[in-house]
Amino acid sequence: GGKGFEFISDKAEHVAPEGKVYIALQVVDDAVIASYETEPERLITGNAFAGVLLPAGDVTYGRFKKITLSSGKIKAYLGV
């Protein structure tokens, strides 16, 4: 998070600035992710991640290029 964070509390698509990605998603208020996009070499595998309730306090690490919530509030930490 040395590059700051973006506070997300709406249902709009949020795109990391050019040359950066969201490296951690910290849930502030129970959240559900509607959709996301990761870097091609950093895909999330296994069961579906979108549509799952993430409780307040949860932190998910990755390299997210885009994120859209269907509910809740998160801090999306920026990195390179």
Side-chain angles (χ1 to χ4, degrees):
K3 302 293 181 187
F5 69 88
E6 181 176 346
F7 182 73
I8 301 174
S9 62
D10 59 23
K11 296 179 181 179
E13 179 180 73
H14 292 262
V15 179
E18 183 70 32
K20 296 181 182 173
V21 293
Y22 301 120
I23 58 170
L25 308 176
Q26 179 183 18
V27 180
V28 176
D29 188 15
D30 291 357
V32 175
I33 295 173
S35 64
Y36 63 90
E37 181 180 323
T38 61
E39 291 181 326
E41 64 277 7
R42 307 287 187 194
L43 295 177
I44 296 173
T45 60
N47 295 328
F49 180 66
V52 175
L53 177 67
L54 302 174
D58 183 74
V59 178
T60 301
Y61 298 94
R63 296 190 57 81
F64 299 89
K65 294 168 59 176
K66 298 178 183 179
I67 184 129
T68 303
L69 297 180
S70 52
S71 65
K73 298 174 185 170
I74 65 169
K75 289 181 186 177
Y77 288 90
L78 293 163
V80 292

